[in-house]
């Protein structure tokens, strides 16, 4: 079944990138894991906790649904407080800063701070983290904090508490990152921080000290192994090419592999051919309820591109999933979509930042992940 988060032992094909993340953290680098939804970022972050080397601990916190600085601090404190692998003196130092806080279970399992404590919550959190960092340094221990959905968190704070509060949070978080020696961060989210900065009016790039982590879909061998496992569960009477077609149509995205396989399984087939995979892909994408998890990138154009939305859609509409906009055809393309060269290049840069497109010196602009281009064209009826 698609959806949910599998046990860390069932996550495949991510150990190489996890190793690179841990090596960078050991070198003192904070990292930003940004990619479209359903690539498996959360699964990788949760598996990472079980692969840390000696002297390191790692914890995971999801900030989806958190909308105030106080809720953020409470959830982050809860995350750190539950780390049994950390030295007792280090944990006690953090608890000391929150000794005067009243923690209650809020809606959705969010732990909330008392109202009297929320007024200086972020300052208290900064002091607590710096104290924890000092204790870890004394013990020659390290901690990697994996924070998911941070861009959504900042946007929610801006909507609930105002842009000044969101801007202060970003600036404080940057200051904390630059002040710690034994604590490092891996921050994830599918919405780019460039959009969040624009919305809250922060001109300084408050995340440019973080190193981007190349993630993307599964590699070919792991995708093929997963495809074969899923298809074996459905029916063994099939030609070899069926597994290859499932890998191709899914774009090697783990979620899509599961989703298409589940679409096939629902039909209870007695045998399988490549055409069954194609039909299942189209049926899944056209089902607006089922495919919502992988079609958010269609709706977000209006959410984040404002007056540039029409131009962005025109670019993506005119670019076939495996086609390119070459440098020598940009002038022709501007005429076709009634835009200036500067307007076109500005939106192309945004589409690159948002992982819609990728740019090559030789071939120009193309879909970063062709399967997303196929979904775009299918849903836009192109």
């Amino acid at each position: 079944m698609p959806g949910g988060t599998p046990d860390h032992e069932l996550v495949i094909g991510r150990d190489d990138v996890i190793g690179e993340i841990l090596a960078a953290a050991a070198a003192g680098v904070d990292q930003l894991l940004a990619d479209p939804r359903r690539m498996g970022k959360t699964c990788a972050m949760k598996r990472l906790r079980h692969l840390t080397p000696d002297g390191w601990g790692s914890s995971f916190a999801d900030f989806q649904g958190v909308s105030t600085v106080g809720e953020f601090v409470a959830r982050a404190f809860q995350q750190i407080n539950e780390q049994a692998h950390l030295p007792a003196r280090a944990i006690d130092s953090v608890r000391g800063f929150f000794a005067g806080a009243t923690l209650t279970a809020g809606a959705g399992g969010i732990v909330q701070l008392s109202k009297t404590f929320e007024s200086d919550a972020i300052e208290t959190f900064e002091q607590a983290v710096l104290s924890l960092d000092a204790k870890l340094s004394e013990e020659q221990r390290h901690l990697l904090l994996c924070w998911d959905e941070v861009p959504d968190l900042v946007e929610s704070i801006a909507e609930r508490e105002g842009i000044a509060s969101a801007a202060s949070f970003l600036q404080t978080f940057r200051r904390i990152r630059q002040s710690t020696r034994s604590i490092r961060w891996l921050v994830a989210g599918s919405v780019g921080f460039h959009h969040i900065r624009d919305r809250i009016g922060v001109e300084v790039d408050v995340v440019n000290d973080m190193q981007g982590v190349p993630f993307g879909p599964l590699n070919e061998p792991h995708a093929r192994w997963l495809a074969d496992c899923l298809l074996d569960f459905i029916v063994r009477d099939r030609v070899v090419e069926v597994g290859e077609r499932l890998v191709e149509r899914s774009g090697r995205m783990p979620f899509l592999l599961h989703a298409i396989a589940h679409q096939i399984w629902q039909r209870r087939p007695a045998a399988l051919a490549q055409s069954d995979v194609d039909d299942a892909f189209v049926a899944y994408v056209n089902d607006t309820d089922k495919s919502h998890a992988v079609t958010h990138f269609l709706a977000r154009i209006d959410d984040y591109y404002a007056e540039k939305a029409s131009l962005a859609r025109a670019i993506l509409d005119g670019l076939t999933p495996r086609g390119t906009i070459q440098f020598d055809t940009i002038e022709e393309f501007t005429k076709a979509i009634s835009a200036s060269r500067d307007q076109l290049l500005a939106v192309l840069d945004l589409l690159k930042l948002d992982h819609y497109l990728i740019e090559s010196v030789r071939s120009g602009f193309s879909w970063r992940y062709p399967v997303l281009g196929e979904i775009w064209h299918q849903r836009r009826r192109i």
Side-chain angles (χ1 to χ4, degrees):
M1 287 285 290
T5 301
D7 186 271
H8 72 93
E9 294 180 347
L10 300 178
V11 175
I12 66 167
R14 297 305 191 186
D15 286 5
D16 287 349
V17 69
I18 288 174
E20 293 170 1
I21 289 170
L22 291 171
V29 178
D30 294 315
Q31 298 162 84
L32 185 60
L33 183 56
D35 232 343
R37 293 188 188 277
R38 303 306 180 183
M39 281 292 179
K41 300 185 297 296
T42 300
C43 290
M45 294 173 79
K46 290 186 174 182
R47 177 163 172 74
L48 183 151
R49 292 179 296 172
H50 302 273
L51 299 177
T52 52
D54 291 343
W56 276 84
S58 173
S59 62
F60 173 85
D62 182 356
F63 293 103
Q64 184 73 44
V66 175
S67 58
T68 70
V69 171
E71 289 176 353
F72 153 75
V73 171
R75 179 164 290 186
F77 164 68
Q78 183 181 32
Q79 172 203 28
I80 295 172
N81 187 50
E82 293 173 353
Q83 302 313 304
H85 59 271
L86 292 178
R89 291 176 61 246
I91 290 295
D92 288 342
S93 72
V94 176
R95 291 171 179 162
F97 283 94
F98 294 93
T102 301
L103 298 175
T104 58
I110 299 173
V111 173
Q112 298 176 319
L113 294 170
S114 60
K115 292 295 182 182
T116 56
F117 200 79
E118 286 186 352
S119 59
D120 60 352
I122 192 65
E123 291 84 0
T124 302
F125 180 73
E126 180 177 8
Q127 296 172 29
V129 169
L130 295 179
S131 175
L132 173 62
D133 183 69
K135 292 294 189 296
L136 289 173
S137 296
E138 292 174 6
E139 301 273 353
Q140 295 186 324
R141 299 287 296 276
H142 297 83
L143 175 64
L144 178 62
L145 295 178
C146 300
W147 285 1
D148 203 6
E149 303 295 356
V150 175
D152 282 349
L153 162 68
V154 180
E155 188 172 20
S156 295
I157 291 173
E159 292 174 354
R160 178 84 172 269
E161 298 185 325
I163 59 175
S165 180
S168 176
F169 168 81
L170 278 176
Q171 292 159 353
T172 302
F173 182 29
R174 180 186 176 92
R175 185 169 63 246
I176 293 173
R177 293 197 306 270
Q178 295 178 336
S179 301
T180 54
R181 294 181 299 167
S182 295
I183 299 176
R184 298 270 62 90
W185 275 266
L186 174 64
V187 174
S190 59
V191 176
F193 274 104
H194 53 285
H195 289 303
I196 307 303
R197 288 203 325 271
D198 289 344
R199 287 197 168 187
I200 66 178
V202 175
E203 296 182 0
V204 178
D205 189 345
V206 289
V207 295
N208 63 358
D209 60 312
M210 305 184 78
Q211 177 177 293
V213 179
F215 197 68
L218 295 172
N219 62 31
E220 188 77 26
H222 283 116
R224 181 56 193 272
W225 183 84
L226 177 57
D228 286 339
C229 288
L230 293 169
L231 292 173
D232 282 345
F233 177 77
I234 299 170
V235 61
R236 293 185 178 274
D237 182 12
R238 66 178 191 275
V239 296
V240 174
E241 290 78 11
V242 172
E244 296 173 354
R245 182 61 62 88
L246 178 56
V247 169
E248 179 185 358
R249 294 313 301 263
S250 68
R252 295 183 277 117
M253 288 177 60
F255 183 88
L256 263 180
L257 277 162
H258 283 271
I260 298 171
H262 185 251
Q263 186 76 29
I264 296 171
W265 174 80
Q266 286 184 313
R267 295 171 48 219
R268 304 296 197 274
L272 281 180
Q274 288 178 298
S275 59
D276 294 308
V277 178
D278 297 333
D279 292 344
F281 173 81
V282 173
Y284 173 75
V285 172
N286 286 342
D287 189 319
T288 54
D289 291 325
K290 287 183 180 179
S291 64
H292 177 73
V294 294
T295 57
H296 68 286
F297 70 100
L298 288 98
R300 66 188 285 187
I301 291 288
D302 283 329
D303 291 341
Y304 293 102
Y305 282 64
E307 71 280 358
K308 299 173 183 175
S310 294
L311 179 52
R313 279 193 293 269
I315 293 171
L316 297 177
D317 284 350
L319 185 60
T320 60
R322 301 187 185 278
T324 61
I325 303 174
Q326 297 184 1
F327 300 109
D328 57 358
T329 62
I330 281 184
E331 295 297 346
E332 181 180 344
F333 197 73
T334 58
K335 295 177 182 178
I337 61 176
S338 301
S340 71
R341 182 183 182 87
D342 286 344
Q343 289 173 324
L344 176 63
L345 293 176
V347 176
L348 284 170
D349 283 341
L350 271 179
L351 291 171
K352 284 196 304 178
L353 284 170
D354 289 330
H355 306 289
Y356 289 91
L357 303 182
I358 192 170
E359 183 178 5
S360 166
V361 173
R362 293 188 176 181
S363 59
F365 297 89
S366 59
W367 280 92
R368 184 182 186 94
Y369 303 115
V371 67
L372 297 186
E374 293 174 5
I375 293 173
W376 177 276
H377 278 240
Q378 183 67 40
R379 288 292 293 272
R380 296 276 289 172
R381 305 298 192 269
I382 297 172

